[in-house]
Amino acid sequence: MRLTAIDWAIVAAYFMLSTGIGFYFTKRGGESLSEYFLSGRDVSWWLAGASMVATTFAADTPLVVTGLVVANGVAGNWLWWDFLMSGMLTVFFFARLWRRAGVMTDVEFAEIRYSGKPAAVLRGFRALYLAIPINLLVLGWVTRAMIKILTISLGVNPYVAVGICFLVTMFYAVAAGLWAVLWTDLIQFIIKMTAVIVLAVFAVRAVGGMAALKAGVSAHFGNESAALSVLPVSLQHGQLSAYAWMPLTALGVFFFMQWWAAWYPGAEPGGGGYIAQRIFSARTERDGVLATLFFQVAHYALRPWPWIITGLATIILYPNLQDKESGYVHAFVDLLPTPWRGFMLAGFAAAYMSTVGTQLNWGASYLVNDFYKRFLRRNETEKHYVNVSRITTVFLFGMSVLVTWQLSSIGNAWRLLLALGAGTGLVLILRWYWWRINAWSEISAMITSFVTSFAMLGHFGAALVPHVVSQGGPAGDAWVMIITVLVTTVVWLSVTFLTNPEPDAVLDAFYKRVRPGGPGWLRVSTRLGYGKEVIPGGKHAWLNWLAGVIAVYATLFGIGKIVFGEWTAGAVLVVIAVVAFAWIARSFTGDRFTT
């Protein structure tokens, strides 16, 4: 791809802007750990929410979606669309509880909910586990995707180009902490969305218009429903059946199990990770809830269609391409004129840097707050901890480079990460709403999930479920999920009842701090004199969850119908979404939030 002086000027302007933001917030971010990792808990909902969305819009995301669409049509996106249901749980059941907890990281939660050495071990282990292997795995696959992008688009040494992105990202993440990450995320999100929308428009033009696009992909998949349907099922001869790539077993797991049972970064059951970090940074409890709601809407309903449309166009434009994911990059290289080439390249850099900036800051918060400060140096000054945080960020940067060189497959990394977290979701949800959960519940769930998933992904799984697990794909992944969840749940429930509950003093202190309410805490709330308390959000919490799920899916599907020219169906779905959002807004009007 040949870039003009104008294209390079756009890319250079983007890098200068990102660096300038880092300079601007350096002094404020260096005042304390709270400023460095949580922006002083003074972030408005729109900024925190935009940062969540920007972080999950990584360099690999358009490529992965293109691969799913080329292989399985629009409905292939259910491999991640189902996580919306978990995200809405975070909005209405956990966001305000996280804000009330007043912790710096979700790992710190262990020592306000549990007690003694088990709680300390759990906190220290999760800090190291999430900050190093899990965090570096994510950084590795994002960097691997960026290398693919730059190899195809620039034809230069990709490691040099990625190194520039990484160094600029590390600079503002090291210097200013979360303040710089938040504001650059907002700018990066605007750049990224503009770029992918423009590319989608050019891709449709390149294939001859929307009618030609629909005809071409319908021919490729055999019929229009298989290509463009948003649901992975079809109605044939009066019977509902799943497509061949999504057998009914896998479909059932995605709709009824995976979203609440599996831990995955950005879609943790009960919230967690960098989503929780943004909630902690929110100015008020209400800001935390609204930020998380905005994230669900933007992440699932507003972002996907530009990627999907371009992905569908690559089926027609590049029918013989071996690496289907790379079709997205080829479309960008072949179709965009100046200055959109430079803008798109800046968009990919923004997508990469927003994720890397968050991962570096988030990972450093675990290593410093939950390991170094907690177990090694407990009584140092705030300036000391900020300096250590900056050094730790550089350390994570260096380690991620090594992981990138060793990582051969983004898809396998994603599959492994999802399998490792299978079965832990339920205990992460119930620890908020059931007093009987203890530290050993979480520890046993993590260990069992890890061991069982590794066994299922290996020879044991192939022997237990022949010709399914060993072949991988949705069917194999579904069986790995089912067996891992069942085994893990039996183990952690057994351990819970075979070990002592947390001391009353710990349970009382936690309840007073968070006030989770609900029947699972009746024993404690009654002892404390609060009586029978409802959960935050009250009787409308479950209705709001259902309304949220309906609103986002209706928006997602409605936009899709309108894009494909089905105006009546699209309008009906948009009206349903508006009604659902209106219900949520009405319930929020009468809701009482703490500050």
Side-chain angles (χ1 to χ4, degrees):
M1 179 179 69
R2 184 175 180 179
L3 298 177
T4 68
I6 296 175
D7 295 316
W8 282 117
I10 292 172
V11 175
Y14 164 71
F15 278 105
M16 290 174 63
L17 179 61
S18 299
T19 305
I21 291 173
F23 271 119
Y24 182 80
F25 286 107
T26 295
K27 184 178 184 299
R28 185 172 182 179
E31 291 176 357
S32 66
L33 276 187
S34 177
E35 288 288 347
Y36 192 82
F37 289 127
L38 298 180
S39 299
R41 303 185 192 272
D42 192 32
V43 179
S44 299
W45 67 267
W46 52 269
L47 182 57
S51 180
M52 294 180 192
V53 184
T55 296
T56 55
F57 188 160
D60 66 305
T61 315
L63 278 65
V64 171
V65 170
T66 296
L68 293 174
V69 169
V70 173
N72 304 315
V74 173
N77 287 283
W78 277 104
L79 294 174
W80 64 280
W81 278 350
D82 66 301
F83 281 118
L84 166 68
M85 292 178 277
S86 176
M88 280 299 172
L89 283 181
T90 301
V91 174
F92 297 111
F93 289 89
F94 303 106
R96 66 184 78 201
L97 299 184
W98 276 121
R99 186 61 178 77
R100 293 177 186 181
V103 292
M104 186 168 292
T105 70
D106 59 319
V107 170
E108 186 181 342
F109 173 86
E111 289 199 295
I112 69 167
R113 176 62 176 83
Y114 312 124
S115 64
K117 289 184 178 180
V121 169
L122 177 61
R123 179 180 179 181
F125 174 77
R126 281 187 65 84
L128 295 176
Y129 176 71
L130 294 176
I132 299 178
I134 299 300
N135 191 29
L136 295 181
L137 189 63
V138 175
L139 285 168
W141 84 47
V142 170
T143 302
R144 174 62 60 182
M146 194 62 182
I147 289 173
K148 179 187 294 187
I149 291 166
L150 295 177
T151 300
I152 297 172
S153 62
L154 294 183
V156 298
N157 187 325
Y159 293 97
V160 173
V162 170
I164 294 172
C165 293
F166 221 141
L167 287 172
V168 173
T169 308
M170 188 182 67
F171 172 78
Y172 68 71
V174 167
L178 190 61
W179 273 119
V181 171
L182 291 171
W183 281 103
T184 51
D185 276 354
L186 177 62
I187 294 169
Q188 289 161 351
F189 179 62
I190 295 171
I191 293 173
K192 291 182 288 189
M193 283 305 300
T194 303
V196 298
I197 290 172
V198 168
L199 179 58
V201 171
F202 276 91
V204 172
R205 290 179 181 175
V207 299
M210 185 57 71
L213 174 68
K214 293 170 68 174
V217 297
S218 298
H220 175 79
F221 286 102
N223 58 74
E224 184 174 310
S225 178
L228 304 180
S229 173
V230 294
L231 297 176
V233 293
S234 61
L235 188 64
Q236 298 179 351
H237 308 296
Q239 293 186 335
L240 196 66
S241 62
Y243 293 126
W245 64 269
M246 176 68 83
L248 288 175
T249 301
L251 183 64
V253 167
F254 287 129
F255 276 104
F256 301 109
M257 177 179 286
Q258 178 174 279
W259 59 271
W260 59 262
W263 180 95
Y264 186 77
E268 300 89 343
Y274 53 81
I275 301 300
Q277 184 192 40
R278 301 312 192 264
I279 296 171
F280 303 151
S281 71
R283 183 172 296 153
T284 65
E285 184 178 300
R286 185 183 184 89
D287 281 292
V289 173
L290 290 176
T292 315
L293 178 59
F294 174 77
F295 167 62
Q296 309 306 325
V297 176
H299 179 69
Y300 292 100
L302 302 183
R303 296 186 317 169
W305 285 109
W307 306 333
I308 293 170
I309 295 301
T310 302
L312 290 171
T314 65
I315 296 174
I316 302 171
L317 295 171
Y318 310 106
N320 300 317
L321 198 62
Q322 294 297 314
D323 182 356
K324 303 302 183 184
E325 292 182 357
S326 68
Y328 194 92
V329 187
H330 284 287
F332 140 54
V333 171
D334 296 339
L335 304 179
L336 292 183
T338 298
W340 291 115
R341 284 182 176 180
F343 202 86
M344 188 68 185
L345 192 60
F348 270 123
Y352 174 70
M353 292 165 66
S354 63
T355 301
V356 170
T358 287
Q359 295 294 140
L360 291 174
N361 184 267
W362 171 61
S365 71
Y366 288 145
L367 293 180
V368 177
N369 183 68
D370 300 299
F371 190 79
Y372 180 81
K373 183 180 179 181
R374 170 63 180 85
F375 297 103
L376 301 180
R377 302 285 289 273
R378 305 194 64 170
N379 299 307
E380 300 293 340
T381 65
E382 287 293 302
K383 184 176 181 180
H384 171 84
Y385 290 126
V386 170
N387 288 335
V388 172
S389 299
R390 288 169 171 159
I391 295 171
T392 303
T393 303
V394 176
F395 162 76
L396 288 173
F397 158 67
M399 292 295 293
S400 69
V401 173
L402 298 177
V403 172
T404 300
W405 286 340
Q406 299 299 318
L407 194 63
S408 60
S409 170
I410 297 172
N412 286 338
W414 177 85
R415 183 184 180 212
L416 174 62
L417 193 58
L418 191 61
L420 291 178
T424 60
L426 190 58
V427 70
L428 296 178
I429 290 173
L430 290 180
R431 65 184 182 175
W432 289 98
Y433 288 107
W434 186 25
W435 70 273
R436 190 60 180 80
I437 299 290
N438 60 31
W440 291 112
S441 306
E442 280 200 50
I443 293 171
S444 61
M446 288 182 64
I447 294 174
T448 307
S449 175
F450 185 87
V451 173
T452 307
S453 60
F454 256 110
M456 288 301 300
L457 290 172
H459 296 295
F460 177 79
L464 185 64
V465 191
H467 309 301
V468 177
V469 174
S470 59
Q471 295 177 3
D477 292 343
W479 279 107
V480 171
M481 180 72 63
I482 291 170
I483 295 172
T484 303
V485 169
L486 289 176
V487 172
T488 302
T489 302
V490 169
V491 170
W492 77 254
L493 277 173
S494 300
V495 169
T496 299
F497 287 110
L498 290 172
T499 54
N500 294 325
E502 299 297 336
D504 287 347
V506 174
L507 296 173
D508 293 352
F510 176 76
Y511 192 89
K512 290 178 182 178
R513 184 170 183 167
V514 178
R515 299 289 288 275
W521 285 96
L522 183 60
R523 176 181 180 274
V524 177
S525 62
T526 302
R527 182 173 67 241
L528 293 173
Y530 294 118
K532 185 179 181 181
E533 289 194 310
V534 297
I535 63 174
K539 61 183 180 181
H540 293 306
W542 279 110
L543 289 176
N544 283 339
W545 173 81
L546 181 60
V549 172
I550 292 173
V552 174
Y553 280 143
T555 303
L556 172 66
F557 302 155
I559 291 174
K561 292 293 185 182
I562 292 171
V563 166
F564 291 126
E566 300 175 37
W567 294 95
T568 301
V572 170
L573 287 167
V574 170
V575 169
I576 292 173
V578 170
V579 171
F581 280 125
W583 166 269
I584 295 171
R586 180 183 177 186
S587 68
F588 266 51
T589 301
D591 205 347
R592 291 189 294 179
F593 292 89
T594 63
T595 57

